[in-house]
Amino acid sequence: MQNRAQWQSRLGFVLAATGSAVGLGNIWKFPYITGMNGGGLFVLVYLFCIAGVGIPILAAEVLLGRATAQSPVGAFRSLSREGSPWVLVGGLGVLTAGTILSYYGVVAGWCLDYVLLSATGRLTATAPDDVPSLFGELYADPARNVVWLTVFTAATVWVILGGVRKGVERASLILMPLFFLTLVILVVHSGTLPGFGEALDFLFTPRPENLSPAGVLEALGHSFFSLSVAMGAMLTYGSYLSKKESIPVTTLTVGTLDTLVALVACLVLFPIIFTFGMEASAGPGLVFMSIPAALVQLPLGALWSILFFALLFLAAWTSAISLLEVLVAYGIDEWKLSRKVSTLLFGAIVYLFGIPSALSGGEGFFGKGLQEATGRNWFDWFDYVASNWFLPLGGLGISIFVAWKLEDGLRRAAFGEGTPEAWQARLYAGWLMLLRYLAPVAIVAIFLHVIGVI
Ligand code: TRP
């Protein structure tokens, strides 16, 4: 355990963790659910969920990793009695990471396809009304999806093979600044569009009549997904964090950056949507259909769409890196594999499970077949089970374990290490309150909602 890798710098950890958190959830999902829930008030509720529940759980996860210097399964094992069922929470995290990663790569592949469509001029040569059908074509094309999934998996495996410092940390130090730069360019451009004022109003003027109770729970569920909590990814990254760093400071930074990116992504997208009088509530097709249909009508449209989809790709890539690292660290810690063997093994497994997802838009068994038999294709099933069941379960397990099972002295020390003494007591008390009471109640509410009780 002595020679477990550690991040070289605080910035390395913060950027890697932010890279994990900032993903398709921020740029694709957050804007479209904001659109569907009427903007303003939904955004405000989301901010409360992040601050009150998301960040406290994030801190709990990083704490578990750092205190044990283990990946999820080992972390729970070393903090509980022998044979204790808590280990299952760690195992669930590993399973969830694999489940999400398998279909995440398919969506990342779409981004690459769109970069190519834009760069070759095919996108701009398409009439705006026909742009949505470009997505339909891509979605239904098995070969194209499998090719992109292969490229994306290879890129992710390549980074993880390099290890914590030379792979993950180095990639984050390069990719995240590139990501922020691209985001800034895009938002400055959106700021010049006539729809910018309307977008500001939509996003920041609360209109209670547009938000339903279901929307509140959606905001809560999404705050988990967006921060990458409840599945061991942040735990694993935390296991490489030095005891000299402050958990409250770093996790607040990560949570704030993640939230800022989601808000700025809305400021990139909604001005474009409003400038062309399109529907803010278009749903999941917002990014892959409405946005390109608008972009092709702008001067330099090909450039903006290359930048936008490259941005989305970078976001997806750094998230996938952290997902694969959960599996690989598990293989190294628990099965005593070398990093190389573990990476190739888990890369291959996730790739195999990703293929049916890549075929899910097609006519075959994994697509239309399952869809007709069960109401969801393979991709939708994986997404549904992971987001609605595994994530809340994992979040509940982690928060209850840290808030109620861990011994107070150990927990207080593990939380405080690296934080200036003067702040420790108050931060600890506030964090523990949220984690003890608000987090479990909120998660149980998500469950009741998923089951259909509320
Ligand atoms: N946070 C990622 C996003 O916003 C998605 C995600 C959820 C994730 N859990 C994760 C990414 C764990 C990496 C690791 O898109």
Side-chain angles (χ1 to χ4, degrees):
M1 225 169 12
Q2 256 85 331
N3 33 28
R4 190 176 193 81
Q6 276 199 352
W7 306 106
Q8 192 134 28
S9 66
R10 178 191 307 169
L11 186 67
F13 168 71
V14 167
L15 288 186
T18 305
S20 169
V22 170
L24 298 168
N26 301 62
I27 305 176
W28 167 61
K29 191 156 182 205
F30 182 71
Y32 93 67
I33 59 178
T34 299
M36 291 177 77
N37 285 292
L41 190 58
F42 179 82
V43 173
L44 199 63
V45 169
Y46 179 75
L47 296 181
F48 275 104
C49 295
I50 287 277
V53 185
I55 294 180
I57 298 186
L58 174 60
E61 236 190 279
V62 173
L63 179 152
L64 282 178
R66 185 173 77 169
T68 59
Q70 294 276 318
S71 49
V73 173
F76 277 94
R77 185 181 324 99
S78 66
L79 290 171
S80 49
R81 279 181 293 104
E82 214 181 298
S84 153
W86 282 108
V87 174
L88 294 176
V89 178
L92 177 69
V94 176
L95 181 69
T96 312
T99 309
I100 295 192
L101 182 55
S102 75
Y103 67 84
Y104 211 73
V106 176
V107 183
W110 297 342
C111 306
L112 287 171
D113 195 280
Y114 271 70
V115 170
L116 198 70
L117 279 178
S118 318
T120 54
R122 221 185 122 204
L123 189 68
T124 32
T126 310
D129 287 346
D130 297 333
V131 168
S133 68
L134 284 181
F135 180 70
E137 263 171 49
L138 168 62
Y139 186 56
D141 189 334
R144 241 161 106 194
N145 277 289
V146 171
V147 168
W148 289 124
L149 177 67
T150 312
V151 172
F152 183 73
T153 308
T156 308
V157 162
W158 175 66
V159 172
I160 293 298
L161 277 178
V164 174
R165 282 195 181 181
K166 294 215 173 98
V168 180
E169 184 163 3
R170 184 145 56 156
S172 307
L173 288 170
I174 299 171
L175 299 178
M176 291 314 288
L178 207 61
F179 172 88
F180 287 119
L181 178 70
T182 314
L183 187 66
V184 168
I185 297 175
L186 285 166
V187 78
V188 167
H189 170 250
S190 282
T192 65
L193 296 177
F196 188 68
E198 201 182 329
L200 281 181
D201 178 58
F202 178 76
L203 285 171
F204 299 115
T205 310
R207 289 185 194 77
E209 66 280 11
N210 291 340
L211 186 67
S212 64
V216 175
L217 290 172
E218 191 162 16
L220 186 61
H222 186 66
S223 71
F224 280 40
F225 185 84
S226 189
L227 289 176
S228 298
V229 293
M231 53 167 19
M234 292 299 188
L235 191 159
T236 305
Y237 275 10
S239 75
Y240 309 128
L241 183 65
S242 146
K243 305 222 159 151
K244 292 199 208 81
E245 302 299 342
S246 159
I247 290 182
V249 171
T250 49
T251 52
L252 270 170
T253 312
V254 172
T256 307
L257 284 173
D258 181 64
T259 308
L260 279 178
V261 170
L263 293 176
V264 175
C266 287
L267 288 177
V268 169
L269 295 177
F270 286 113
I272 300 175
I273 294 291
F274 291 133
T275 298
F276 292 96
M278 298 170 126
E279 282 302 323
S281 57
L286 187 77
V287 157
F288 289 102
M289 303 205 262
S290 312
I291 286 292
L295 288 177
V296 296
Q297 304 175 57
L298 286 173
L300 297 177
L303 174 70
W304 301 120
S305 77
I306 292 177
L307 284 179
F308 177 71
F309 287 105
L311 179 84
L312 207 52
F313 171 72
L314 284 176
W317 193 16
T318 49
S319 294
I321 289 169
S322 77
L323 285 165
L324 185 57
E325 180 63 21
V326 175
L327 301 170
V328 170
Y330 169 78
I332 295 175
D333 293 345
E334 297 296 316
W335 298 351
K336 309 292 172 223
L337 302 176
S338 68
R339 174 164 286 271
K340 191 165 165 196
V341 171
S342 189
T343 308
L344 295 177
L345 176 70
F346 284 105
I349 294 176
V350 168
Y351 177 65
L352 284 182
F353 278 94
I355 288 181
S357 275
L359 305 180
S360 287
E363 301 286 320
F365 171 75
F366 296 114
K368 222 181 195 152
L370 273 180
Q371 172 93 36
E372 276 167 9
T374 65
R376 287 194 178 88
N377 61 33
W378 179 282
F379 180 109
D380 294 341
W381 268 115
F382 267 53
D383 182 27
Y384 169 77
V385 172
S387 310
N388 291 297
W389 294 98
F390 290 178
L391 279 185
L393 257 181
L396 194 61
I398 289 168
S399 53
I400 292 185
F401 184 79
V402 175
W404 296 96
K405 298 298 283 184
L406 269 194
E407 194 260 313
D408 190 59
L410 186 156
R411 179 176 53 213
R412 184 185 296 270
F415 180 85
E417 272 162 332
T419 304
E421 209 138 324
W423 305 350
Q424 279 184 16
R426 240 184 278 159
L427 283 171
Y428 180 73
W431 168 72
L432 196 58
M433 279 287 277
L434 293 171
L435 200 65
R436 284 211 149 147
Y437 303 104
L438 192 58
V441 169
I443 300 172
V444 169
I446 299 186
F447 265 124
L448 295 179
H449 176 60
V450 171
I451 312 174
V453 179
I454 53 174

